[in-house]
Amino acid sequence: GAERLANLRQIVIMVDIADPIYGYGDWGGRSFMRIIRESAPSRDGFYMPGEFEFHEGCIMIFPERPDSWQYGGYAARRAFVQVAEAIGESEKVTVCASGAQYDNARAALPPHIRVVEMSSNDAWARDYGPTFVRNAAGEVRGIDWGFNAWGGLCDGLYFPWDKDNQMARKLCDLLDADVYDKRDFILEGGSIHVDGEGTCMVTESCLLSGGRNPGLTKQEIQEVLEEYLGVSKVLWLPCGIYNDETNEHIDNICAFVKPGEAVLAWTDDEEDVQYAMSRASLEYLEGALDAKGRRIKVHKLPLPKPVTVTEEECRGLDACWDRPSRVPGERLAASYVNFYIANGSIVMPGFGDPADAEAKEILQGLFPDRKVVQIYARDILIGGGNIHCITQQIPAGRHVNGTKRKEST
């Protein structure tokens, strides 16, 4: 009784002396995750690095949701495991799994891939994992954006999304990384792409959609991006990939491969609805300058022929509420741009299409120092995204790691 009371008093003391701005303080010479509520990354000297910069690791989530992953998710899990193994050759991979799936994930994944139990509503680490930012000293922090399943009650894809919305903060706690609380702003990681030198790309179709931040103007949204990503230039591409149910995330249409250079999903078929969408984005980029005043060199990355879902695949999906998750013949948003840049490799999707080889060759030419690994990804695509959507990089830097850290000013 006396010992428990003493411990309780110590906890009360710790909470009482915690930093009133940052939410958590140091206790006993150790540092903990602090929730930063009254500052922003750019004010503290932080910015989002480019994905092509060196990583400490990668976060993924083990799939199980029955209205996303057909026939119990077994085929999707095999594809996720292949992605994790490919990334794990050159950086540390952490896979989050529910309590029900922890043992399955641990059995399916090799020992060098870490598996942790963490609840989620689905498996899109890019969109509700933390966005990580870094300062000149190498300190890494996370951003906890608001998440509402790509549109909330306006045009979101499922309900509830409460477990997803908790993941960014939980992951920062796991990594001993301070986290900026920005849950009042709806943003998914797949809706932004940065070059690490002050430029961010987004699509108007997504960030200006009615289910994201309808109370904010385009200029106000841009100001949030500048303040939290540490950028000075936001490029607003008009649209993304046709029928992309995220309201056309940027990471499926266009991605930086280095500062000043990007790949753009492209089709030469003028009869395809995607042609006008890709053409509009190309024309915008050709007339734009990045934060350094450079013209962006655009590399066209061919699209596969339209990929549609089959009746058999639809039969393997649970209904979402009282509606079918997919309908036979529905066009899926297949794109080779949805790749992940790992430390030693490019992990990209394949679709069993003649364009697979051409797209792989183009990316190999753009990343000569990395091995391009192509993984058949139809079973991920049926869930609504692809390889970039199921991964979230942790930039290399200095976290707390159990040592007392210099307080921020």
mmCIF file of all heavy atoms in Angstrom, residues 335-358:
data_model
loop_
_atom_site.group_PDB
_atom_site.id
_atom_site.type_symbol
_atom_site.label_atom_id
_atom_site.label_comp_id
_atom_site.label_asym_id
_atom_site.label_seq_id
_atom_site.Cartn_x
_atom_site.Cartn_y
_atom_site.Cartn_z
ATOM 1 N N SER A 335 -1.508 2.071 -61.180
ATOM 2 C CA SER A 335 -0.471 3.009 -61.606
ATOM 3 C C SER A 335 0.879 2.541 -61.097
ATOM 4 O O SER A 335 1.010 2.142 -59.939
ATOM 5 C CB SER A 335 -0.768 4.409 -61.070
ATOM 6 O OG SER A 335 0.337 5.277 -61.249
ATOM 7 N N TYR A 336 1.893 2.623 -61.947
ATOM 8 C CA TYR A 336 3.248 2.265 -61.533
ATOM 9 C C TYR A 336 3.896 3.347 -60.674
ATOM 10 O O TYR A 336 4.937 3.108 -60.051
ATOM 11 C CB TYR A 336 4.125 2.008 -62.762
ATOM 12 C CG TYR A 336 3.650 0.882 -63.635
ATOM 13 C CD1 TYR A 336 3.115 1.130 -64.908
ATOM 14 C CD2 TYR A 336 3.725 -0.436 -63.208
ATOM 15 C CE1 TYR A 336 2.681 0.094 -65.725
ATOM 16 C CE2 TYR A 336 3.290 -1.484 -64.019
ATOM 17 C CZ TYR A 336 2.769 -1.207 -65.270
ATOM 18 O OH TYR A 336 2.334 -2.232 -66.061
ATOM 19 N N VAL A 337 3.313 4.543 -60.634
ATOM 20 C CA VAL A 337 3.865 5.621 -59.816
ATOM 21 C C VAL A 337 3.757 5.288 -58.323
ATOM 22 O O VAL A 337 4.491 5.836 -57.506
ATOM 23 C CB VAL A 337 3.155 6.952 -60.133
ATOM 24 C CG1 VAL A 337 3.567 8.056 -59.173
ATOM 25 C CG2 VAL A 337 3.459 7.384 -61.570
ATOM 26 N N ASN A 338 2.893 4.354 -57.993
ATOM 27 C CA ASN A 338 2.651 4.001 -56.591
ATOM 28 C C ASN A 338 3.741 3.052 -56.078
ATOM 29 O O ASN A 338 3.462 1.943 -55.619
ATOM 30 C CB ASN A 338 1.265 3.368 -56.460
ATOM 31 C CG ASN A 338 0.651 3.606 -55.101
ATOM 32 O OD1 ASN A 338 1.164 3.150 -54.092
ATOM 33 N ND2 ASN A 338 -0.467 4.322 -55.083
ATOM 34 N N PHE A 339 4.988 3.505 -56.135
ATOM 35 C CA PHE A 339 6.140 2.706 -55.696
ATOM 36 C C PHE A 339 6.725 3.290 -54.412
ATOM 37 O O PHE A 339 6.462 4.440 -54.045
ATOM 38 C CB PHE A 339 7.214 2.643 -56.785
ATOM 39 C CG PHE A 339 7.730 3.991 -57.228
ATOM 40 C CD1 PHE A 339 8.761 4.639 -56.547
ATOM 41 C CD2 PHE A 339 7.202 4.626 -58.356
ATOM 42 C CE1 PHE A 339 9.245 5.876 -56.953
ATOM 43 C CE2 PHE A 339 7.673 5.867 -58.774
ATOM 44 C CZ PHE A 339 8.690 6.490 -58.069
ATOM 45 N N TYR A 340 7.536 2.486 -53.735
ATOM 46 C CA TYR A 340 8.205 2.906 -52.501
ATOM 47 C C TYR A 340 9.706 2.992 -52.755
ATOM 48 O O TYR A 340 10.303 2.075 -53.345
ATOM 49 C CB TYR A 340 7.929 1.913 -51.376
ATOM 50 C CG TYR A 340 8.595 2.261 -50.056
ATOM 51 C CD1 TYR A 340 8.053 3.225 -49.214
ATOM 52 C CD2 TYR A 340 9.779 1.631 -49.652
ATOM 53 C CE1 TYR A 340 8.654 3.548 -48.004
ATOM 54 C CE2 TYR A 340 10.386 1.952 -48.446
ATOM 55 C CZ TYR A 340 9.823 2.901 -47.625
ATOM 56 O OH TYR A 340 10.420 3.224 -46.425
ATOM 57 N N ILE A 341 10.307 4.080 -52.298
ATOM 58 C CA ILE A 341 11.753 4.259 -52.426
ATOM 59 C C ILE A 341 12.411 3.807 -51.130
ATOM 60 O O ILE A 341 12.360 4.498 -50.115
ATOM 61 C CB ILE A 341 12.121 5.727 -52.718
ATOM 62 C CG1 ILE A 341 11.342 6.255 -53.924
ATOM 63 C CG2 ILE A 341 13.628 5.869 -52.931
ATOM 64 C CD1 ILE A 341 11.540 7.740 -54.192
ATOM 65 N N ALA A 342 12.999 2.622 -51.122
ATOM 66 C CA ALA A 342 13.724 2.111 -49.959
ATOM 67 C C ALA A 342 15.198 2.516 -50.064
ATOM 68 O O ALA A 342 15.648 3.025 -51.096
ATOM 69 C CB ALA A 342 13.586 0.592 -49.876
ATOM 70 N N ASN A 343 15.944 2.277 -48.995
ATOM 71 C CA ASN A 343 17.357 2.663 -49.005
ATOM 72 C C ASN A 343 18.139 2.003 -50.139
ATOM 73 O O ASN A 343 18.987 2.634 -50.762
ATOM 74 C CB ASN A 343 18.008 2.297 -47.670
ATOM 75 C CG ASN A 343 17.590 3.215 -46.549
ATOM 76 O OD1 ASN A 343 17.170 4.348 -46.781
ATOM 77 N ND2 ASN A 343 17.685 2.736 -45.318
ATOM 78 N N GLY A 344 17.835 0.732 -50.404
ATOM 79 C CA GLY A 344 18.610 0.019 -51.420
ATOM 80 C C GLY A 344 17.808 -0.425 -52.619
ATOM 81 O O GLY A 344 18.340 -1.116 -53.492
ATOM 82 N N SER A 345 16.534 -0.068 -52.665
ATOM 83 C CA SER A 345 15.694 -0.582 -53.741
ATOM 84 C C SER A 345 14.523 0.348 -54.036
ATOM 85 O O SER A 345 14.189 1.231 -53.252
ATOM 86 C CB SER A 345 15.155 -1.972 -53.379
ATOM 87 O OG SER A 345 14.341 -1.900 -52.225
ATOM 88 N N ILE A 346 13.920 0.105 -55.189
ATOM 89 C CA ILE A 346 12.620 0.664 -55.541
ATOM 90 C C ILE A 346 11.669 -0.519 -55.573
ATOM 91 O O ILE A 346 11.869 -1.466 -56.338
ATOM 92 C CB ILE A 346 12.652 1.358 -56.919
ATOM 93 C CG1 ILE A 346 13.713 2.459 -56.959
ATOM 94 C CG2 ILE A 346 11.269 1.891 -57.266
ATOM 95 C CD1 ILE A 346 13.491 3.579 -55.969
ATOM 96 N N VAL A 347 10.643 -0.478 -54.729
ATOM 97 C CA VAL A 347 9.682 -1.575 -54.688
ATOM 98 C C VAL A 347 8.425 -1.080 -55.388
ATOM 99 O O VAL A 347 7.728 -0.192 -54.907
ATOM 100 C CB VAL A 347 9.380 -2.009 -53.239
ATOM 101 C CG1 VAL A 347 8.484 -3.240 -53.236
ATOM 102 C CG2 VAL A 347 10.690 -2.314 -52.498
ATOM 103 N N MET A 348 8.152 -1.646 -56.555
ATOM 104 C CA MET A 348 7.110 -1.130 -57.429
ATOM 105 C C MET A 348 6.083 -2.207 -57.749
ATOM 106 O O MET A 348 6.379 -3.410 -57.688
ATOM 107 C CB MET A 348 7.712 -0.592 -58.731
ATOM 108 C CG MET A 348 8.308 -1.665 -59.625
ATOM 109 S SD MET A 348 8.837 -1.039 -61.246
ATOM 110 C CE MET A 348 7.266 -0.561 -61.995
ATOM 111 N N PRO A 349 4.865 -1.803 -58.116
ATOM 112 C CA PRO A 349 3.849 -2.800 -58.471
ATOM 113 C C PRO A 349 3.990 -3.307 -59.895
ATOM 114 O O PRO A 349 4.506 -2.621 -60.779
ATOM 115 C CB PRO A 349 2.542 -2.021 -58.297
ATOM 116 C CG PRO A 349 2.910 -0.598 -58.561
ATOM 117 C CD PRO A 349 4.321 -0.433 -58.070
ATOM 118 N N GLY A 350 3.519 -4.514 -60.095
ATOM 119 C CA GLY A 350 3.341 -5.087 -61.416
ATOM 120 C C GLY A 350 1.918 -5.577 -61.540
ATOM 121 O O GLY A 350 1.286 -5.917 -60.537
ATOM 122 N N PHE A 351 1.413 -5.627 -62.778
ATOM 123 C CA PHE A 351 0.009 -5.982 -62.983
ATOM 124 C C PHE A 351 -0.172 -7.097 -64.016
ATOM 125 O O PHE A 351 -1.288 -7.345 -64.459
ATOM 126 C CB PHE A 351 -0.773 -4.744 -63.422
ATOM 127 C CG PHE A 351 -0.655 -3.591 -62.463
ATOM 128 C CD1 PHE A 351 0.167 -2.506 -62.759
ATOM 129 C CD2 PHE A 351 -1.330 -3.598 -61.253
ATOM 130 C CE1 PHE A 351 0.295 -1.436 -61.876
ATOM 131 C CE2 PHE A 351 -1.206 -2.536 -60.362
ATOM 132 C CZ PHE A 351 -0.395 -1.461 -60.673
ATOM 133 N N GLY A 352 0.916 -7.763 -64.389
ATOM 134 C CA GLY A 352 0.815 -8.768 -65.435
ATOM 135 C C GLY A 352 0.483 -8.157 -66.775
ATOM 136 O O GLY A 352 -0.182 -8.765 -67.616
ATOM 137 N N ASP A 353 0.970 -6.943 -67.004
ATOM 138 C CA ASP A 353 0.674 -6.165 -68.201
ATOM 139 C C ASP A 353 1.955 -5.998 -69.019
ATOM 140 O O ASP A 353 3.058 -5.952 -68.450
ATOM 141 C CB ASP A 353 0.134 -4.787 -67.779
ATOM 142 C CG ASP A 353 -0.325 -3.951 -68.945
ATOM 143 O OD1 ASP A 353 0.525 -3.279 -69.568
ATOM 144 O OD2 ASP A 353 -1.536 -3.947 -69.226
ATOM 145 N N PRO A 354 1.855 -5.870 -70.347
ATOM 146 C CA PRO A 354 3.065 -5.640 -71.148
ATOM 147 C C PRO A 354 3.848 -4.407 -70.719
ATOM 148 O O PRO A 354 5.065 -4.345 -70.931
ATOM 149 C CB PRO A 354 2.509 -5.467 -72.564
ATOM 150 C CG PRO A 354 1.230 -6.243 -72.563
ATOM 151 C CD PRO A 354 0.661 -6.078 -71.198
ATOM 152 N N ALA A 355 3.189 -3.424 -70.117
ATOM 153 C CA ALA A 355 3.888 -2.207 -69.688
ATOM 154 C C ALA A 355 4.705 -2.412 -68.414
ATOM 155 O O ALA A 355 5.492 -1.533 -68.051
ATOM 156 C CB ALA A 355 2.887 -1.076 -69.476
ATOM 157 N N ASP A 356 4.551 -3.555 -67.739
ATOM 158 C CA ASP A 356 5.322 -3.808 -66.513
ATOM 159 C C ASP A 356 6.822 -3.632 -66.763
ATOM 160 O O ASP A 356 7.520 -2.957 -65.998
ATOM 161 C CB ASP A 356 5.069 -5.233 -66.010
ATOM 162 C CG ASP A 356 3.719 -5.417 -65.328
ATOM 163 O OD1 ASP A 356 2.921 -4.455 -65.288
ATOM 164 O OD2 ASP A 356 3.464 -6.539 -64.851
ATOM 165 N N ALA A 357 7.324 -4.256 -67.814
ATOM 166 C CA ALA A 357 8.755 -4.249 -68.087
ATOM 167 C C ALA A 357 9.247 -2.848 -68.449
ATOM 168 O O ALA A 357 10.323 -2.423 -68.008
ATOM 169 C CB ALA A 357 9.085 -5.235 -69.206
ATOM 170 N N GLU A 358 8.469 -2.129 -69.249
ATOM 171 C CA GLU A 358 8.870 -0.776 -69.649
ATOM 172 C C GLU A 358 8.932 0.150 -68.435
ATOM 173 O O GLU A 358 9.880 0.934 -68.273
ATOM 174 C CB GLU A 358 7.899 -0.216 -70.683
ATOM 175 C CG GLU A 358 8.275 1.175 -71.173
ATOM 176 C CD GLU A 358 7.255 1.762 -72.121
ATOM 177 O OE1 GLU A 358 6.254 1.081 -72.447
ATOM 178 O OE2 GLU A 358 7.449 2.934 -72.546
#
